[in-house]
Amino acid sequence: MEKITLNVQGMSCNHCVKAVEGSVGALNGVAAVKVNLKAATVDVEYNQQQVSLDQIKETIDDQGYDVK
């Protein structure tokens, strides 16, 4: 399992948390997702054999947030 912290801009409320955690958490191979609104970060634990970092970033981007 890989663990990564992504800097994500544009999240400001609980709806944002649910959108990101729900969409990323639904990806096959993602074990855990935790959004920190104050720090503007998303912690992801995932199996790199099943899902790529690019797929995770694209999923967050598709929700309307900017991944740095």
Side-chain angles (χ1 to χ4, degrees):
M1 286 289 202
E2 279 293 309
K3 291 183 182 182
I4 187 137
T5 299
L6 301 170
N7 293 313
V8 180
Q9 302 302 309
M11 301 182 300
S12 61
C13 63
N14 283 334
H15 172 353
C16 302
V17 172
K18 289 179 183 178
V20 172
E21 289 182 348
S23 62
V24 174
L27 291 172
N28 190 29
V30 173
V33 185
K34 181 66 179 158
V35 171
N36 182 327
L37 283 179
K38 287 185 180 183
T41 60
V42 178
D43 296 324
V44 184
E45 184 176 346
Y46 66 101
N47 182 335
Q48 59 193 13
Q49 304 271 326
Q50 294 179 299
V51 65
S52 71
L53 180 56
D54 285 340
Q55 287 173 298
I56 293 168
K57 288 180 176 180
E58 185 177 317
T59 299
I60 294 170
D61 187 63
D62 287 348
Q63 294 299 313
Y65 306 106
D66 188 23
V67 181
K68 299 288 182 185

